[in-house]
Amino acid sequence: QVQLVESGGGEVQPGGSLRLSCAVSGSTLDEYAIGWFRLVPGKFREGISCIETTNGTAYYEDSVKGRFTISTDSARKTVYLQMDSLEPADTATYYCAADREGGLTWSGAYYYMRADEYDFWGKGTQVTVSS
C-alpha cells in the first residue's frame, strides 16, 4: 500500500513562497507519477502539477506555470512543489497523489490531470495566502 504524506503548508503574504513536500512510502518512487492537486471549498479539485518520476518530465497547469516548480529527490522518496509569487487565489488545501499511468489524461485536444485516474492520495496540507 502506497502512502503519501504532505507537509510544508502554512500562511504566507502575497508574493511570498512556500515549499510543499510529499513523502512517499510503500513503493519505489519510480513506479508512479506524482501529482499535486488543490481544493478550494465549493470548487472542483484542480490538478496543478505532476512529474513522471522515471524521466523528470513535468506538467504545469496554466495558472501556476512560471511560478511553481515540481521536483523529486529519489533518495528521500520525496516530491517537492516550490511555490513562488503566491497569490490569494492560490489559497487551498494541497494534496499529492500517485498514478501508475503517467499522471496525465489526453482530452483529445490537450493533456490534463484527472483526479479519478490517481490511485493513492495524501491527506492534504493547507496553504493560505493573505495580507
Side-chain angles (χ1 to χ4, degrees):
Q1 182 77 8
V2 177
Q3 294 184 325
L4 303 101
V5 179
E6 304 93 337
S7 62
E11 185 166 352
V12 64
Q13 292 186 340
S17 297
L18 284 173
R19 188 178 78 160
L20 304 184
S21 299
C22 174
V24 180
S25 61
S27 171
T28 56
L29 196 57
D30 60 3
E31 293 184 53
Y32 294 89
I34 303 296
W36 285 97
F37 291 79
R38 63 187 181 187
L39 181 63
V40 176
K43 295 189 177 181
F44 61 89
R45 189 171 301 198
E46 178 185 26
I48 57 170
S49 183
C50 67
I51 190 164
E52 177 62 71
T53 54
T54 55
N55 59 25
T57 301
Y59 161 89
Y60 299 95
E61 193 270 336
D62 285 347
S63 67
V64 306
K65 199 173 294 183
R67 301 188 299 122
F68 291 10
T69 305
I70 192 169
S71 62
T72 63
D73 184 333
S74 296
R76 290 185 168 85
K77 295 176 65 176
T78 299
V79 176
Y80 301 101
L81 186 68
Q82 177 67 41
M83 306 188 297
D84 298 318
S85 303
L86 283 161
E87 305 166 354
D90 296 315
T91 296
T93 303
Y94 284 71
Y95 299 86
C96 65
D99 178 15
R100 286 189 179 273
E101 302 297 331
L104 294 174
T105 299
W106 177 244
S107 73
Y110 55 88
Y111 284 103
Y112 70 106
M113 293 171 64
R114 181 169 163 172
D116 61 1
E117 292 289 328
Y118 280 71
D119 304 292
F120 301 100
W121 290 81
K123 294 184 177 181
T125 186
Q126 177 66 35
V127 171
T128 302
V129 185
S130 173
S131 55

Short mmCIF file of all heavy atoms in Angstrom, two decimals, residues 21-84:
data_model
loop_
_atom_site.label_atom_id
_atom_site.label_comp_id
_atom_site.label_asym_id
_atom_site.label_seq_id
_atom_site.Cartn_x
_atom_site.Cartn_y
_atom_site.Cartn_z
N SER A 21 6.16 19.43 0.51
CA SER A 21 6.83 18.14 0.35
C SER A 21 5.78 17.04 0.35
O SER A 21 4.78 17.12 1.06
CB SER A 21 7.82 17.90 1.49
OG SER A 21 8.82 18.89 1.52
N CYS A 22 6.06 16.00 -0.42
CA CYS A 22 5.21 14.81 -0.46
C CYS A 22 6.12 13.61 -0.25
O CYS A 22 6.88 13.24 -1.15
CB CYS A 22 4.48 14.72 -1.79
SG CYS A 22 3.53 13.19 -2.03
N ALA A 23 6.07 13.03 0.94
CA ALA A 23 6.89 11.86 1.25
C ALA A 23 6.14 10.60 0.87
O ALA A 23 4.99 10.40 1.29
CB ALA A 23 7.24 11.86 2.72
N VAL A 24 6.79 9.75 0.09
CA VAL A 24 6.16 8.53 -0.44
C VAL A 24 6.74 7.31 0.28
O VAL A 24 7.96 7.18 0.41
CB VAL A 24 6.40 8.41 -1.95
CG1 VAL A 24 5.74 7.14 -2.50
CG2 VAL A 24 5.86 9.64 -2.67
N SER A 25 5.89 6.41 0.73
CA SER A 25 6.35 5.15 1.31
C SER A 25 5.51 4.01 0.76
O SER A 25 4.44 4.22 0.19
CB SER A 25 6.24 5.20 2.85
OG SER A 25 4.90 5.39 3.25
N GLY A 26 6.04 2.81 0.91
CA GLY A 26 5.32 1.63 0.43
C GLY A 26 5.58 1.31 -1.01
O GLY A 26 5.00 0.37 -1.56
N SER A 27 6.46 2.09 -1.66
CA SER A 27 6.75 1.88 -3.07
C SER A 27 8.03 2.61 -3.41
O SER A 27 8.41 3.55 -2.73
CB SER A 27 5.61 2.43 -3.93
OG SER A 27 5.97 2.42 -5.30
N THR A 28 8.66 2.16 -4.48
CA THR A 28 9.74 2.98 -5.00
C THR A 28 9.13 4.15 -5.76
O THR A 28 8.03 4.04 -6.32
CB THR A 28 10.64 2.17 -5.95
OG1 THR A 28 9.84 1.62 -7.00
CG2 THR A 28 11.32 1.04 -5.19
N LEU A 29 9.84 5.25 -5.78
CA LEU A 29 9.27 6.47 -6.35
C LEU A 29 9.02 6.32 -7.84
O LEU A 29 8.07 6.92 -8.38
CB LEU A 29 10.23 7.63 -6.08
CG LEU A 29 9.68 9.03 -6.24
CD1 LEU A 29 8.46 9.26 -5.37
CD2 LEU A 29 10.76 10.06 -5.91
N ASP A 30 9.83 5.50 -8.53
CA ASP A 30 9.72 5.45 -9.98
C ASP A 30 8.58 4.56 -10.49
O ASP A 30 8.43 4.39 -11.70
CB ASP A 30 11.05 5.02 -10.61
CG ASP A 30 11.50 3.64 -10.14
OD1 ASP A 30 10.77 2.99 -9.38
OD2 ASP A 30 12.60 3.21 -10.54
N GLU A 31 7.77 4.02 -9.59
CA GLU A 31 6.62 3.24 -10.03
C GLU A 31 5.42 4.11 -10.38
O GLU A 31 4.46 3.63 -10.97
CB GLU A 31 6.22 2.23 -8.95
CG GLU A 31 7.23 1.14 -8.70
CD GLU A 31 6.71 0.15 -7.68
OE1 GLU A 31 5.59 -0.36 -7.86
OE2 GLU A 31 7.43 -0.12 -6.70
N TYR A 32 5.48 5.38 -9.97
CA TYR A 32 4.31 6.24 -10.12
C TYR A 32 4.70 7.61 -10.64
O TYR A 32 5.80 8.08 -10.41
CB TYR A 32 3.65 6.44 -8.75
CG TYR A 32 3.06 5.19 -8.17
CD1 TYR A 32 3.83 4.35 -7.38
CD2 TYR A 32 1.73 4.84 -8.42
CE1 TYR A 32 3.30 3.19 -6.84
CE2 TYR A 32 1.20 3.69 -7.89
CZ TYR A 32 1.98 2.87 -7.11
OH TYR A 32 1.45 1.72 -6.58
N ALA A 33 3.76 8.22 -11.32
CA ALA A 33 3.81 9.67 -11.48
C ALA A 33 3.18 10.27 -10.23
O ALA A 33 2.22 9.73 -9.68
CB ALA A 33 3.03 10.09 -12.72
N ILE A 34 3.74 11.39 -9.79
CA ILE A 34 3.24 12.07 -8.60
C ILE A 34 2.67 13.41 -9.01
O ILE A 34 3.32 14.19 -9.72
CB ILE A 34 4.34 12.26 -7.56
CG1 ILE A 34 4.97 10.92 -7.17
CG2 ILE A 34 3.78 12.99 -6.33
CD1 ILE A 34 4.03 9.96 -6.48
N GLY A 35 1.47 13.67 -8.57
CA GLY A 35 0.81 14.92 -8.93
C GLY A 35 0.41 15.71 -7.70
O GLY A 35 0.25 15.17 -6.61
N TRP A 36 0.27 17.01 -7.92
CA TRP A 36 -0.23 17.92 -6.88
C TRP A 36 -1.59 18.47 -7.34
O TRP A 36 -1.71 18.97 -8.47
CB TRP A 36 0.73 19.07 -6.64
CG TRP A 36 1.95 18.69 -5.86
CD1 TRP A 36 3.17 18.36 -6.37
CD2 TRP A 36 2.06 18.61 -4.44
NE1 TRP A 36 4.04 18.07 -5.34
CE2 TRP A 36 3.39 18.22 -4.15
CE3 TRP A 36 1.19 18.84 -3.38
CZ2 TRP A 36 3.85 18.04 -2.85
CZ3 TRP A 36 1.65 18.65 -2.08
CH2 TRP A 36 2.96 18.26 -1.83
N PHE A 37 -2.56 18.36 -6.47
CA PHE A 37 -3.89 18.92 -6.69
C PHE A 37 -4.16 19.92 -5.59
O PHE A 37 -3.56 19.89 -4.52
CB PHE A 37 -4.96 17.82 -6.63
CG PHE A 37 -4.91 16.84 -7.77
CD1 PHE A 37 -3.96 15.82 -7.78
CD2 PHE A 37 -5.81 16.93 -8.81
CE1 PHE A 37 -3.92 14.91 -8.83
CE2 PHE A 37 -5.77 16.03 -9.86
CZ PHE A 37 -4.82 15.02 -9.86
N ARG A 38 -5.13 20.79 -5.84
CA ARG A 38 -5.58 21.68 -4.78
C ARG A 38 -7.09 21.77 -4.80
O ARG A 38 -7.73 21.64 -5.85
CB ARG A 38 -4.92 23.05 -4.88
CG ARG A 38 -5.25 23.84 -6.14
CD ARG A 38 -4.40 25.10 -6.18
NE ARG A 38 -4.69 25.93 -7.35
CZ ARG A 38 -4.00 26.99 -7.69
NH1 ARG A 38 -2.96 27.39 -6.95
NH2 ARG A 38 -4.33 27.68 -8.78
N LEU A 39 -7.63 22.02 -3.61
CA LEU A 39 -9.07 22.05 -3.46
C LEU A 39 -9.47 23.26 -2.63
O LEU A 39 -8.96 23.47 -1.53
CB LEU A 39 -9.54 20.77 -2.76
CG LEU A 39 -11.04 20.64 -2.53
CD1 LEU A 39 -11.78 20.59 -3.87
CD2 LEU A 39 -11.35 19.38 -1.72
N VAL A 40 -10.37 24.02 -3.21
CA VAL A 40 -11.00 25.13 -2.51
C VAL A 40 -12.43 24.70 -2.21
O VAL A 40 -13.11 24.18 -3.09
CB VAL A 40 -10.99 26.41 -3.37
CG1 VAL A 40 -11.74 27.53 -2.68
CG2 VAL A 40 -9.56 26.82 -3.69
N PRO A 41 -12.91 24.90 -0.98
CA PRO A 41 -14.29 24.50 -0.66
C PRO A 41 -15.28 25.08 -1.67
O PRO A 41 -15.22 26.26 -2.01
CB PRO A 41 -14.49 25.09 0.74
CG PRO A 41 -13.14 25.11 1.33
CD PRO A 41 -12.21 25.44 0.19
N GLY A 42 -16.15 24.20 -2.17
CA GLY A 42 -17.16 24.64 -3.13
C GLY A 42 -16.71 24.59 -4.57
O GLY A 42 -17.50 24.87 -5.48
N LYS A 43 -15.44 24.23 -4.80
CA LYS A 43 -14.92 24.16 -6.17
C LYS A 43 -14.40 22.75 -6.43
O LYS A 43 -14.29 21.92 -5.56
CB LYS A 43 -13.81 25.19 -6.36
CG LYS A 43 -14.28 26.63 -6.25
CD LYS A 43 -13.19 27.60 -6.67
CE LYS A 43 -13.69 29.03 -6.63
NZ LYS A 43 -12.65 29.98 -7.08
N PHE A 44 -14.09 22.50 -7.71
CA PHE A 44 -13.58 21.19 -8.07
C PHE A 44 -12.11 21.06 -7.69
O PHE A 44 -11.41 22.05 -7.50
CB PHE A 44 -13.74 20.95 -9.58
CG PHE A 44 -12.98 21.93 -10.42
CD1 PHE A 44 -11.65 21.69 -10.80
CD2 PHE A 44 -13.54 23.12 -10.85
CE1 PHE A 44 -10.93 22.59 -11.56
CE2 PHE A 44 -12.84 24.03 -11.62
CZ PHE A 44 -11.53 23.76 -11.97
N ARG A 45 -11.64 19.81 -7.57
CA ARG A 45 -10.24 19.56 -7.27
C ARG A 45 -9.42 19.80 -8.53
O ARG A 45 -9.64 19.18 -9.55
CB ARG A 45 -10.06 18.12 -6.78
CG ARG A 45 -8.70 17.82 -6.24
CD ARG A 45 -8.65 16.47 -5.58
NE ARG A 45 -9.60 16.36 -4.48
CZ ARG A 45 -9.53 15.45 -3.53
NH1 ARG A 45 -8.56 14.57 -3.55
NH2 ARG A 45 -10.42 15.39 -2.58
N GLU A 46 -8.48 20.70 -8.43
CA GLU A 46 -7.71 21.15 -9.60
C GLU A 46 -6.32 20.52 -9.61
O GLU A 46 -5.57 20.65 -8.65
CB GLU A 46 -7.59 22.68 -9.53
CG GLU A 46 -6.79 23.29 -10.65
CD GLU A 46 -6.60 24.79 -10.46
OE1 GLU A 46 -6.63 25.27 -9.32
OE2 GLU A 46 -6.40 25.48 -11.48
N GLY A 47 -5.99 19.88 -10.69
CA GLY A 47 -4.65 19.33 -10.86
C GLY A 47 -3.72 20.41 -11.35
O GLY A 47 -3.98 21.01 -12.40
N ILE A 48 -2.65 20.70 -10.63
CA ILE A 48 -1.81 21.84 -10.97
C ILE A 48 -0.43 21.46 -11.46
O ILE A 48 0.18 22.20 -12.24
CB ILE A 48 -1.70 22.83 -9.80
CG1 ILE A 48 -1.15 22.13 -8.55
CG2 ILE A 48 -3.04 23.48 -9.52
CD1 ILE A 48 -0.80 23.09 -7.43
N SER A 49 0.08 20.33 -11.04
CA SER A 49 1.41 19.93 -11.50
C SER A 49 1.62 18.44 -11.25
O SER A 49 1.12 17.91 -10.26
CB SER A 49 2.50 20.72 -10.77
OG SER A 49 3.79 20.39 -11.27
N CYS A 50 2.34 17.81 -12.15
CA CYS A 50 2.71 16.42 -11.92
C CYS A 50 4.07 16.15 -12.55
O CYS A 50 4.54 16.93 -13.39
CB CYS A 50 1.67 15.44 -12.44
SG CYS A 50 1.47 15.39 -14.21
N ILE A 51 4.69 15.07 -12.11
CA ILE A 51 6.01 14.72 -12.63
C ILE A 51 6.08 13.22 -12.85
O ILE A 51 5.61 12.43 -12.02
CB ILE A 51 7.12 15.21 -11.68
CG1 ILE A 51 8.49 15.06 -12.33
CG2 ILE A 51 7.05 14.52 -10.33
CD1 ILE A 51 9.58 15.86 -11.63
N GLU A 52 6.62 12.87 -14.01
CA GLU A 52 6.91 11.49 -14.31
C GLU A 52 8.26 11.18 -13.69
O GLU A 52 9.28 11.66 -14.15
CB GLU A 52 6.96 11.30 -15.83
CG GLU A 52 7.33 9.89 -16.28
CD GLU A 52 6.32 8.87 -15.82
OE1 GLU A 52 5.19 8.86 -16.34
OE2 GLU A 52 6.67 8.10 -14.90
N THR A 53 8.26 10.40 -12.61
CA THR A 53 9.47 10.26 -11.80
C THR A 53 10.58 9.47 -12.51
O THR A 53 11.73 9.55 -12.10
CB THR A 53 9.14 9.59 -10.46
OG1 THR A 53 8.47 8.36 -10.72
CG2 THR A 53 8.25 10.47 -9.61
N THR A 54 10.25 8.70 -13.54
CA THR A 54 11.28 7.94 -14.23
C THR A 54 12.17 8.82 -15.09
O THR A 54 13.36 8.53 -15.28
CB THR A 54 10.67 6.86 -15.12
OG1 THR A 54 9.74 7.48 -16.01
CG2 THR A 54 9.93 5.82 -14.28
N ASN A 55 11.61 9.92 -15.61
CA ASN A 55 12.43 10.75 -16.51
C ASN A 55 12.37 12.25 -16.19
O ASN A 55 13.00 13.04 -16.87
CB ASN A 55 12.02 10.53 -17.96
CG ASN A 55 10.55 10.86 -18.21
OD1 ASN A 55 9.95 11.64 -17.50
ND2 ASN A 55 9.97 10.24 -19.23
N GLY A 56 11.62 12.61 -15.16
CA GLY A 56 11.59 14.01 -14.74
C GLY A 56 10.70 14.90 -15.57
O GLY A 56 10.68 16.11 -15.36
N THR A 57 9.94 14.35 -16.50
CA THR A 57 9.03 15.17 -17.30
C THR A 57 7.96 15.78 -16.41
O THR A 57 7.29 15.08 -15.67
CB THR A 57 8.38 14.33 -18.40
OG1 THR A 57 9.40 13.78 -19.23
CG2 THR A 57 7.45 15.19 -19.24
N ALA A 58 7.82 17.08 -16.49
CA ALA A 58 6.90 17.79 -15.61
C ALA A 58 5.79 18.46 -16.41
O ALA A 58 5.99 18.86 -17.57
CB ALA A 58 7.65 18.84 -14.79
N TYR A 59 4.65 18.61 -15.76
CA TYR A 59 3.48 19.29 -16.32
C TYR A 59 3.04 20.36 -15.34
O TYR A 59 3.10 20.15 -14.11
CB TYR A 59 2.36 18.28 -16.54
CG TYR A 59 0.99 18.90 -16.68
CD1 TYR A 59 0.50 19.30 -17.90
CD2 TYR A 59 0.19 19.10 -15.55
CE1 TYR A 59 -0.76 19.87 -18.03
CE2 TYR A 59 -1.06 19.68 -15.66
CZ TYR A 59 -1.53 20.05 -16.90
OH TYR A 59 -2.76 20.62 -17.01
N TYR A 60 2.60 21.49 -15.88
CA TYR A 60 2.05 22.57 -15.04
C TYR A 60 0.76 23.06 -15.67
O TYR A 60 0.69 23.31 -16.87
CB TYR A 60 3.03 23.73 -14.93
CG TYR A 60 4.34 23.34 -14.30
CD1 TYR A 60 5.44 23.00 -15.08
CD2 TYR A 60 4.48 23.32 -12.92
CE1 TYR A 60 6.65 22.65 -14.50
CE2 TYR A 60 5.69 22.96 -12.33
CZ TYR A 60 6.77 22.61 -13.13
OH TYR A 60 7.96 22.26 -12.56
N GLU A 61 -0.21 23.25 -14.84
CA GLU A 61 -1.45 23.87 -15.28
C GLU A 61 -1.18 25.36 -15.49
O GLU A 61 -0.29 25.95 -14.85
CB GLU A 61 -2.53 23.62 -14.22
CG GLU A 61 -3.94 23.91 -14.66
CD GLU A 61 -4.32 25.35 -14.36
OE1 GLU A 61 -3.73 25.96 -13.46
OE2 GLU A 61 -5.22 25.86 -15.10
N ASP A 62 -1.91 25.98 -16.40
CA ASP A 62 -1.58 27.34 -16.81
C ASP A 62 -1.53 28.33 -15.65
O ASP A 62 -0.72 29.27 -15.66
CB ASP A 62 -2.58 27.83 -17.85
CG ASP A 62 -2.35 27.21 -19.22
OD1 ASP A 62 -1.29 26.58 -19.44
OD2 ASP A 62 -3.26 27.34 -20.07
N SER A 63 -2.39 28.17 -14.67
CA SER A 63 -2.47 29.16 -13.59
C SER A 63 -1.22 29.18 -12.71
O SER A 63 -1.00 30.15 -11.98
CB SER A 63 -3.71 28.93 -12.74
OG SER A 63 -3.60 27.71 -12.03
N VAL A 64 -0.41 28.13 -12.76
CA VAL A 64 0.79 28.08 -11.92
C VAL A 64 2.08 28.07 -12.73
O VAL A 64 3.17 28.15 -12.16
CB VAL A 64 0.77 26.86 -10.96
CG1 VAL A 64 -0.52 26.86 -10.15
CG2 VAL A 64 0.95 25.55 -11.71
N LYS A 65 1.96 27.98 -14.04
CA LYS A 65 3.14 27.90 -14.90
C LYS A 65 4.00 29.14 -14.71
O LYS A 65 3.50 30.27 -14.72
CB LYS A 65 2.70 27.76 -16.35
CG LYS A 65 3.77 27.23 -17.29
CD LYS A 65 3.16 26.96 -18.66
CE LYS A 65 2.16 25.84 -18.64
NZ LYS A 65 1.63 25.53 -20.00
N GLY A 66 5.30 28.92 -14.51
CA GLY A 66 6.22 30.02 -14.29
C GLY A 66 6.35 30.45 -12.84
O GLY A 66 7.24 31.22 -12.50
N ARG A 67 5.46 29.97 -11.98
CA ARG A 67 5.51 30.32 -10.54
C ARG A 67 5.83 29.11 -9.68
O ARG A 67 6.47 29.26 -8.63
CB ARG A 67 4.19 30.93 -10.09
CG ARG A 67 3.79 32.18 -10.84
CD ARG A 67 2.57 32.86 -10.22
NE ARG A 67 1.39 31.99 -10.23
CZ ARG A 67 0.71 31.63 -9.15
NH1 ARG A 67 1.08 32.03 -7.97
NH2 ARG A 67 -0.36 30.86 -9.27
N PHE A 68 5.36 27.94 -10.08
CA PHE A 68 5.55 26.72 -9.29
C PHE A 68 6.54 25.81 -10.00
O PHE A 68 6.59 25.77 -11.24
CB PHE A 68 4.22 25.97 -9.12
CG PHE A 68 3.22 26.65 -8.24
CD1 PHE A 68 3.38 27.95 -7.79
CD2 PHE A 68 2.06 25.98 -7.88
CE1 PHE A 68 2.44 28.57 -6.99
CE2 PHE A 68 1.11 26.58 -7.07
CZ PHE A 68 1.30 27.87 -6.63
N THR A 69 7.32 25.07 -9.22
CA THR A 69 8.27 24.12 -9.77
C THR A 69 8.16 22.81 -9.01
O THR A 69 8.26 22.79 -7.78
CB THR A 69 9.71 24.65 -9.66
OG1 THR A 69 9.80 25.93 -10.29
CG2 THR A 69 10.68 23.70 -10.35
N ILE A 70 8.01 21.72 -9.75
CA ILE A 70 7.94 20.40 -9.15
C ILE A 70 9.27 19.69 -9.34
O ILE A 70 9.94 19.85 -10.37
CB ILE A 70 6.78 19.57 -9.76
CG1 ILE A 70 6.50 18.32 -8.94
CG2 ILE A 70 7.04 19.25 -11.23
CD1 ILE A 70 5.20 17.61 -9.35
N SER A 71 9.69 18.95 -8.32
CA SER A 71 10.97 18.25 -8.40
C SER A 71 10.91 17.00 -7.52
O SER A 71 10.00 16.85 -6.71
CB SER A 71 12.12 19.15 -7.96
OG SER A 71 11.96 19.54 -6.61
N THR A 72 11.89 16.13 -7.71
CA THR A 72 11.93 14.90 -6.94
C THR A 72 13.29 14.71 -6.29
O THR A 72 14.31 15.18 -6.78
CB THR A 72 11.64 13.68 -7.82
OG1 THR A 72 12.66 13.56 -8.82
CG2 THR A 72 10.30 13.78 -8.50
N ASP A 73 13.29 14.01 -5.17
CA ASP A 73 14.51 13.53 -4.52
C ASP A 73 14.32 12.03 -4.33
O ASP A 73 13.64 11.61 -3.40
CB ASP A 73 14.73 14.25 -3.19
CG ASP A 73 16.04 13.85 -2.52
OD1 ASP A 73 16.53 12.73 -2.75
OD2 ASP A 73 16.56 14.66 -1.77
N SER A 74 14.88 11.27 -5.24
CA SER A 74 14.65 9.82 -5.21
C SER A 74 15.20 9.17 -3.95
O SER A 74 14.60 8.24 -3.42
CB SER A 74 15.28 9.18 -6.45
OG SER A 74 14.65 9.62 -7.62
N ALA A 75 16.34 9.68 -3.48
CA ALA A 75 16.94 9.10 -2.27
C ALA A 75 16.02 9.26 -1.07
O ALA A 75 15.94 8.37 -0.22
CB ALA A 75 18.30 9.73 -2.00
N ARG A 76 15.36 10.39 -0.98
CA ARG A 76 14.43 10.65 0.12
C ARG A 76 13.00 10.22 -0.21
O ARG A 76 12.11 10.35 0.63
CB ARG A 76 14.45 12.13 0.48
CG ARG A 76 15.74 12.59 1.15
CD ARG A 76 15.65 14.06 1.60
NE ARG A 76 16.75 14.43 2.46
CZ ARG A 76 17.92 14.84 2.04
NH1 ARG A 76 18.15 14.91 0.74
NH2 ARG A 76 18.88 15.16 2.88
N LYS A 77 12.77 9.75 -1.46
CA LYS A 77 11.43 9.35 -1.89
C LYS A 77 10.44 10.48 -1.62
O LYS A 77 9.37 10.28 -1.05
CB LYS A 77 10.99 8.05 -1.23
CG LYS A 77 11.85 6.86 -1.65
CD LYS A 77 11.48 5.59 -0.92
CE LYS A 77 10.11 5.11 -1.23
NZ LYS A 77 9.80 3.81 -0.58
N THR A 78 10.83 11.66 -2.04
CA THR A 78 10.03 12.85 -1.77
C THR A 78 9.89 13.66 -3.04
O THR A 78 10.84 13.80 -3.82
CB THR A 78 10.69 13.70 -0.67
OG1 THR A 78 10.77 12.91 0.53
CG2 THR A 78 9.88 14.95 -0.38
N VAL A 79 8.70 14.19 -3.23
CA VAL A 79 8.41 15.11 -4.34
C VAL A 79 8.10 16.47 -3.74
O VAL A 79 7.33 16.57 -2.77
CB VAL A 79 7.24 14.60 -5.19
CG1 VAL A 79 6.90 15.60 -6.28
CG2 VAL A 79 7.59 13.25 -5.80
N TYR A 80 8.70 17.50 -4.32
CA TYR A 80 8.54 18.85 -3.81
C TYR A 80 7.73 19.70 -4.78
O TYR A 80 7.76 19.49 -5.99
CB TYR A 80 9.90 19.51 -3.61
CG TYR A 80 10.79 18.77 -2.66
CD1 TYR A 80 11.82 17.95 -3.13
CD2 TYR A 80 10.62 18.88 -1.29
CE1 TYR A 80 12.64 17.26 -2.27
CE2 TYR A 80 11.43 18.19 -0.41
CZ TYR A 80 12.45 17.38 -0.91
OH TYR A 80 13.25 16.69 -0.04
N LEU A 81 7.03 20.67 -4.24
CA LEU A 81 6.38 21.70 -5.05
C LEU A 81 6.83 23.04 -4.49
O LEU A 81 6.38 23.45 -3.42
CB LEU A 81 4.87 21.57 -5.02
CG LEU A 81 4.13 22.53 -5.95
CD1 LEU A 81 4.40 22.15 -7.41
CD2 LEU A 81 2.63 22.52 -5.68
N GLN A 82 7.75 23.68 -5.20
CA GLN A 82 8.19 25.01 -4.84
C GLN A 82 7.20 26.02 -5.40
O GLN A 82 6.98 26.06 -6.62
CB GLN A 82 9.59 25.28 -5.40
CG GLN A 82 10.12 26.68 -5.13
CD GLN A 82 10.39 26.94 -3.66
OE1 GLN A 82 10.90 26.07 -2.96
NE2 GLN A 82 10.02 28.12 -3.18
N MET A 83 6.62 26.82 -4.53
CA MET A 83 5.60 27.77 -4.94
C MET A 83 6.11 29.18 -4.67
O MET A 83 6.33 29.55 -3.52
CB MET A 83 4.31 27.51 -4.17
CG MET A 83 3.82 26.08 -4.28
SD MET A 83 2.18 25.83 -3.57
CE MET A 83 2.49 26.24 -1.86
N ASP A 84 6.31 29.94 -5.72
CA ASP A 84 6.79 31.31 -5.63
C ASP A 84 5.72 32.27 -6.14
O ASP A 84 4.77 31.87 -6.80
CB ASP A 84 8.06 31.47 -6.46
CG ASP A 84 9.20 30.59 -5.97
OD1 ASP A 84 9.38 30.49 -4.75
OD2 ASP A 84 9.92 30.02 -6.82
#
